[in-house]
Amino acid sequence: MDNYRINRYDLNNNFSVYTNRLIQGGLRYQKLNLFTVGTLTLSKVGFLPAVDDTPISKLPGVFRCSDPVLTRICEVGARTMQLTEFSAGSLPDFWMITEEGALVESQTPQPFSSDYAPGLTAFELFFPVKVIRNGFEFTVLSGILGVGIYIFANIANCSISAHTGSTVLDSVPLAFAALPASVALMLVTLISPRQFLCEYGWSRMLPGFFSPTAKVRQEQRLTDIPANVTGLIGYSFNLVSAMSRYYEQTGDRSILVEWAPRDVRVSDWAHSQLLPNRLLSISTAAIGRYWNYYDPQVGGVVAKFNLAYAYALSESIHLLADVGLNVTKHTQRLCELRASVNKHLWSNNLQAYYHSDSYPGFISQEANALAILSNTIPTAAFHAKDSESVKNLLKTIWAPMRNPQNVNYTGCFWEDLNEDGTPGLGLGTTLCHAWAAGPTADLSRYVLGIMPITPGFRDWKAEPQTLDLTWAEGRHPVPQGAIGVRWRFSQDGLLQMTVTSPPRTKEIVYLPAPLKRDMREYRVTGGRTNEDGSFTVQSRTFISPTNCIRNIAFIDILPHYFTYPATL
């Protein structure tokens, strides 16, 4: 990836084709500067997409509803995911290894990460450089995102300057000096380039947690890194949760043998850090960071780390069970952790979980979100079937980002928001960020109600939440094909619901809730009514209703196709 995004070309003939070797992410526009006197004629200038450009309407998953704002939110989230993915193996090597050394075209600094890196405050470092054009750059006192003191050695004009940030554009020079007219340029040779490039994958440290510094196209290490500090401990728990969710959605059993031991190692390490009150304590503040890197490093008892651990446990138990492990120990750990979090980290004054022992008067948004996800406190928004809160969050946070009239509109969702609704985190923020696309999955999961009961949707359920909508419809891709759900209320408040079931699956269907009116009788084709009001599929035959009787709902469970009968 060409993170620096500044490229200079020598135009030495009348006609040439110039194609940048590296790929630019987060493309918004291109600016061309001519540095010499003269004219330049351009023809056939364009961009070669490195991402999937399939139209949203052609994607395997579909969601539509009676509220165009929610429909658009789902589409923008899908587009955001498209633009943050690329095909495996499609990117060129970031470094080019030659006989002379390693050619690093991008000028974005890469922080040095190790267990002793935080203590490197006074040292001397010598490294040879071969300058390809103009000069070279490096940072010192760098943070996790490469922001520090940026040193620019401009060989072209014999100067050297220091800046705050990660580029020369981030600040005026803190210091400036002239270089000698003649500067020695040396070559560097790497003894083992491949070994060097593979050192910094998303790899496991000796205690069991991970180092979240994987770069694009790096190979995974097969052995542990001999260190006991990681930059972002929360990401270790997140990785466990993500792999467990991947298994839940796909049923891909090939990952069980590989990932179950890793999940166990992370859990065993976290368990070894518990205090007598059964709360996780971060003994080294150097690893006490999460995704919100603008927060200070915090050690001791931190709510978000305890709840990230709880969520990882709750998500991974089914994965561990399916590989044949006894999960009694992990289930007990989860129960004890939930109880301790509720006993010690809940603030009656804040009516929320507080940040940490170091900041007991502050609410932690991550902790409270993770408490919901991990069922530590099952009361909020979609999870609690709280329609008003769901609509408020969607309409106040995501709806403005999807509005083409917004001055910061990009057609995608952003990484962070300020309180006034503008993009957060300053110039370094991304305006197309996969983390922000959560509502796309949630609208399918809750408004259509499609959820797996067993990994890979071998058993699944449809339990829609209506959100005061008059209709919703969609398609959710699963390994066996696609699940289709459509529900609609008539003007009289009567319900018609159609469910499409793929082959080789078992499903349970619930009526959408809340209903527009009480119903005393249901007519079901292709299913059997259960005592709890749900419907279990019995037949693969679809019988379309032809009329509507008062207070009667039609529930149609269809075989291997997706169709909508006439509107009531």
Side-chain angles (χ1 to χ4, degrees):
M1 300 292 287
D2 189 357
N3 298 322
Y4 198 68
R5 304 175 186 176
I6 298 177
N7 301 282
R8 181 170 292 186
Y9 300 98
D10 296 323
L11 310 180
N12 51 18
N13 53 47
N14 293 329
F15 178 78
S16 294
V17 176
Y18 298 89
T19 302
N20 197 45
R21 190 183 72 84
L22 297 179
I23 293 175
Q24 293 190 8
L27 177 66
R28 299 171 191 170
Y29 65 92
Q30 291 286 314
K31 179 182 179 181
L32 303 179
N33 292 326
L34 188 60
F35 289 95
T36 58
V37 177
T39 59
L40 176 66
T41 301
L42 301 176
S43 64
K44 298 182 179 179
V45 178
F47 304 109
L48 303 176
V51 296
D52 182 18
D53 58 356
T54 302
I56 298 299
S57 60
K58 302 296 183 181
L59 292 176
V62 175
F63 174 86
R64 294 183 290 266
C65 69
S66 55
D67 187 336
V69 174
L70 298 190
T71 299
R72 179 60 179 159
I73 286 175
C74 186
E75 293 173 346
V76 172
R79 184 59 176 157
T80 301
M81 294 302 300
Q82 276 188 311
L83 294 182
T84 53
E85 298 177 339
F86 45 83
S87 300
S90 65
L91 299 186
D93 285 330
F94 185 61
W95 287 25
M96 293 181 63
I97 308 301
T98 71
E99 293 298 326
E100 295 181 321
L103 174 61
V104 187
E105 293 176 88
S106 175
Q107 300 176 75
T108 297
Q110 301 295 316
F112 174 62
S113 176
S114 76
D115 56 342
Y116 55 86
L120 296 177
T121 57
F123 59 92
E124 291 184 348
L125 176 65
F126 297 92
F127 56 95
V129 176
K130 179 180 180 179
V131 176
I132 302 300
R133 185 182 297 114
N134 289 343
F136 64 94
E137 301 82 12
F138 60 94
T139 58
V140 296
L141 301 178
S142 178
I144 191 169
L145 297 182
V147 176
I149 303 301
Y150 185 86
I151 309 297
F152 177 35
N154 191 332
I155 308 300
N157 68 4
C158 298
S159 68
I160 184 169
S161 56
H163 307 259
T164 301
S166 59
T167 75
V168 296
L169 304 177
D170 289 343
S171 74
V172 296
L174 301 174
F176 180 89
L179 290 175
S182 176
V183 177
L185 302 182
M186 303 173 63
L187 305 183
V188 59
T189 301
L190 296 179
I191 297 176
S192 179
R194 181 55 56 189
Q195 178 182 357
F196 178 81
L197 291 175
C198 294
E199 276 296 314
Y200 299 102
W202 189 310
S203 305
R204 190 172 61 196
M205 319 293 274
L206 283 177
F209 48 67
F210 298 91
S211 174
T213 52
K215 305 302 179 184
V216 174
R217 296 202 63 179
Q218 287 184 240
E219 298 175 3
Q220 188 176 21
R221 286 178 58 96
L222 301 179
T223 59
D224 292 346
I225 297 176
N228 61 0
V229 174
T230 183
L232 296 164
I233 189 61
Y235 278 41
S236 289
F237 298 127
N238 290 349
L239 182 58
V240 171
S241 302
M243 294 308 300
S244 300
R245 181 58 63 91
Y246 170 81
Y247 175 59
E248 176 199 72
Q249 293 290 312
T250 65
D252 182 2
R253 297 185 63 86
S254 66
I255 71 167
L256 292 178
V257 175
E258 178 183 0
W259 275 98
R262 301 183 183 193
D263 291 358
V264 171
R265 285 279 301 277
V266 173
S267 176
D268 287 347
W269 170 83
H271 187 71
S272 72
Q273 305 299 303
L274 297 187
L275 299 174
N277 62 6
R278 316 313 292 165
L279 290 178
L280 172 67
S281 178
I282 303 300
S283 58
T284 304
I287 70 174
R289 283 194 180 276
Y290 206 40
W291 75 269
N292 52 341
Y293 46 84
Y294 45 80
D295 270 4
Q297 291 178 320
V298 181
V301 174
V302 182
K304 59 187 174 186
F305 296 139
N306 276 271
L307 286 155
Y309 175 35
Y311 184 47
L313 280 173
S314 66
E315 288 288 290
S316 63
I317 284 176
H318 65 275
L319 184 152
L320 300 179
D322 283 3
V323 82
L325 297 178
N326 187 336
V327 297
T328 302
K329 174 178 66 175
H330 301 279
T331 303
Q332 182 178 354
R333 288 177 180 178
L334 176 59
C335 292
E336 292 177 350
L337 183 59
R338 283 171 172 164
S340 295
V341 166
N342 284 327
K343 180 179 180 180
H344 298 288
L345 299 180
W346 177 264
S347 169
N348 288 324
N349 291 332
L350 298 174
Q351 283 298 293
Y353 295 99
Y354 63 82
H355 185 278
S356 61
D357 284 351
S358 301
Y359 299 95
F362 291 87
I363 292 177
S364 169
Q365 63 171 348
E366 296 86 0
N368 287 275
L370 289 164
I372 299 162
L373 293 173
S374 63
N375 283 313
T376 302
I377 179 170
T379 54
F382 266 137
H383 196 84
K385 301 181 180 179
D386 182 352
S387 297
E388 290 305 315
S389 294
V390 171
K391 289 186 293 183
N392 181 62
L393 287 170
L394 291 173
K395 294 296 181 71
T396 60
I397 296 178
W398 279 275
M401 288 188 283
R402 63 91 219 168
N403 184 359
Q405 303 304 314
N406 191 313
V407 67
N408 295 299
Y409 174 77
T410 63
C412 300
F413 290 135
W414 315 332
E415 179 180 11
D416 202 294
L417 285 175
N418 292 320
E419 292 183 358
D420 62 1
T422 59
L425 305 183
L427 294 177
T429 193
T430 61
L431 300 184
C432 179
H433 204 76
W435 292 350
T440 294
D442 282 347
L443 287 168
S444 175
R445 187 177 182 90
Y446 293 104
V447 178
L448 299 182
I450 301 172
M451 302 183 191
I453 297 175
T454 58
F457 288 85
R458 296 187 300 273
D459 300 273
W460 58 272
K461 68 177 181 178
E463 189 176 7
Q465 297 181 33
T466 57
L467 295 188
D468 295 326
L469 300 169
T470 57
W471 62 267
E473 63 186 25
R475 183 175 62 247
H476 185 88
V478 297
Q480 300 83 356
I483 297 171
V485 171
R486 179 188 194 248
W487 56 263
R488 177 183 293 272
F489 291 109
S490 69
Q491 291 183 350
D492 295 331
L494 299 180
L495 170 71
Q496 182 180 17
M497 182 177 181
T498 304
V499 178
T500 305
S501 173
R504 303 183 306 280
T505 65
K506 297 178 181 179
E507 50 279 325
I508 296 177
V509 180
Y510 294 84
L511 290 179
L515 295 171
K516 296 289 186 181
R517 57 189 293 185
D518 293 334
M519 295 184 181
R520 60 176 176 81
E521 184 178 1
Y522 304 93
R523 177 180 298 174
V524 181
T525 61
R528 169 176 53 83
T529 304
N530 301 320
E531 292 183 359
D532 64 353
S534 65
F535 307 91
T536 300
V537 173
Q538 282 185 314
S539 171
R540 291 296 179 183
T541 302
F542 166 58
I543 303 175
S544 176
T546 57
N547 63 345
C548 180
I549 308 173
R550 67 172 184 266
N551 295 347
I552 292 183
F554 294 102
I555 309 295
D556 303 308
I557 303 175
L558 313 183
H560 317 329
Y561 51 86
F562 192 69
T563 184
Y564 301 135
T567 303
L568 291 178

